[in-house]
Amino acid sequence: MSSVIRSSFLLVGVLLALSGCRDQQPRSYLVPKEAAPTPNQAQPSEPSQSPPADIAADRAAMAGTTVPVATGNDLTWTAPSGWAEQPASGMRKGTLTLSGPEGTGDLSVTAFPDAVGGNLANVNRWRGQLGLNPISAAELRPLLMHIHVGPLHLDVIDIVGPRERMLVAIIPHAGATWFFRLLGPDALVGREKPTFMRFLQSIRPASDAS
Amino acid sequence: MNEILREFIRFFTTLKLTVVLLILAIILVFLATLDQVTLGIWAVQEKWFRSFIVIHFFRGFPLPVFPGGYFIGGLLLINLVTTHLYRFKLSWKKSGIHITHAGLILLLVGELITGIFQREFQMRMDEGETKNYSESPREVELAIIDVSPADHDHVIVVPASRVAKSTPLQHPSLPFTLRTLTYYPNSHLGLRSQNPDLPPSGANRDIGTRLGAAPRPLTFKENERNLPTAIVELRSADGILGTWLLSPWLIEPQTFDYAGRTFRLAMRFVREYKPYNLTLEEFTHDRYPGTDIPKNFSSRVLLNDPREGGQREILVYMNNPLRHDGFTFYQAGFDNDDTTSILQVVTNPGWIIPYISCALLTLGLLVQFGIHLFAFARKRAALA
């Protein structure tokens, strides 16, 4: 029997050693040539774990060769056909209006210094406006959609209230935070959502667009 | 030697061993279920079931605490096989039991093959994008890419578990050695200009000079991944070339020149290159009218495999994967306002084994019960 005990100990020892072993050696291989890094390319990462927008923007600025550094403070955009552009006024950098059988919608463009309280505080403020209860940071994460437009990183959220609906794109840019906020009746905003998403693709830093 | 062999056979052919192993298996499942509260499903599978010995960390100190799934399963397999060889005699009367046990043996072997050989990757493609590699959803590697050759890139990859160690790393095709100064298995990165609380990274080259890094607790949640950060120093015969901050947080590789060659450095999710490529032509996402609930999502992809001598177009959608070159591409998700498709890429050479073993188990039980039924019916007929 002692030989069995001896061999069992040996077996356990071998297995312990095996479980500690993992392939840690470097490997090398050849691949077809890949494109040089383009700083404004979308990052392959999960929506909940996109790189911080500030890093992406700074990286874009540092690489510098393909994307001009945004020196201007403004963003530019192209209004979709059917949406009426109104003159900027007061705090607004721009206003677009749209109308349909369901009512009228208002898209406001505003910009404030720094992060303006962060996404959670802002989203909860908007939810309150629409008559919804506040949510936690963990609940917010899956609701935010991340889009890359040129060198910009956009956080987009769709908030559906009992009567009205809000689509907001939050864009950190040049030390400020820009908000593109479409507010209107649920049915109208829902119908115009694809147009809003296409509209976001037209947003550019002013220095880039020139 | 014969004595040892006899002891071995005696030990492995007892029913006692089977019972002990089955009890251990029950306890293993119970403990693993408790551990799942803190670890999450995939980590529990690796720690408790796909291991020989379960290593648990007590205050950072690793201790073997329980036999792992492979250990118990492996002994059960030996137990079953040796018992068959030395205890059971081949007879028609017991053919059902033999078939059932063969099915059981195949099931255990199949799980072992799956555990060792199954690999899961992801392929993220924007519309119009062509890719010839898939990426691991969790495993990270450090890649040093020599882009100097005119017709190809020479890639040297180091697994994250090796990067975590501080001993210098050398590769014959690199004119420098790499040493990790700091390694965070999960981390947070930020620009120091906007996050003054973050400690300086210590990197003195490229983007790392402006970044601050801080460790974060490891996550085991299913929908989160660990994003490590490493500060690495490159050293050559000429001295220190610099220190870089590398992390999958960063979008693009960092480029530098040395010894007349151009290198790119990146920490990225482990890539597996393929001898063919896929292009995402179109991603479609249908929703139920008036809601955001997905009805159907599908990717129209163009498969270009030079070995097949042409291209072919395939529609990948739920329950209709693309099977090619031993890999199965499933439609797994989407992103970026429906312009990015995520395909899950899975290979498992043992996928068919559980089907065969289940068929054998069913057949074995049917045969065994059938034999008993006929014998019983014959006995009753004889009595009547």
Side-chain angles (χ1 to χ4, degrees), chain A residues 4 15 24 26-31 33-34 38 41 43 45-46 49 51-52 54 56 58-59 146 197, chain B residues 71 124 147 149-150 153 155-157 162 165 191 194 206 210 225 248-249 251-253 268 273 336-337:
Chain A
V4 170
L15 292 178
Q24 292 197 330
R27 287 181 304 126
S28 81
Y29 51 84
L30 306 180
V31 295
K33 281 209 94 57
E34 284 177 4
T38 49
Q41 209 178 335
Q43 162 73 346
S45 64
E46 287 160 8
Q49 291 191 339
D54 51 357
D58 199 71
R59 182 93 192 106
H146 302 271
M197 300 308 292
Chain B
F71 189 84
R124 285 178 71 100
V147 295
D153 288 348
V155 186
I156 291 116
V157 289
R162 176 65 183 86
K165 294 183 174 171
L191 280 173
Q194 291 173 19
D206 213 307
R210 298 197 195 178
R225 354 189 232 189
W249 278 107
I251 302 171
E252 295 291 349
R268 63 191 193 189
Y273 282 86
N336 273 345
D337 190 30

Side-chain angles (χ1 to χ4, degrees), chain A residues 106-132:
Chain A
D106 171 70
L107 189 145
S108 64
V109 183
T110 50
F112 300 96
D114 299 320
V116 213
N119 283 350
L120 183 64
N122 287 320
V123 168
N124 278 333
R125 191 160 43 78
W126 297 323
R127 287 179 65 87
Q129 246 174 289
L130 295 183
L132 298 168

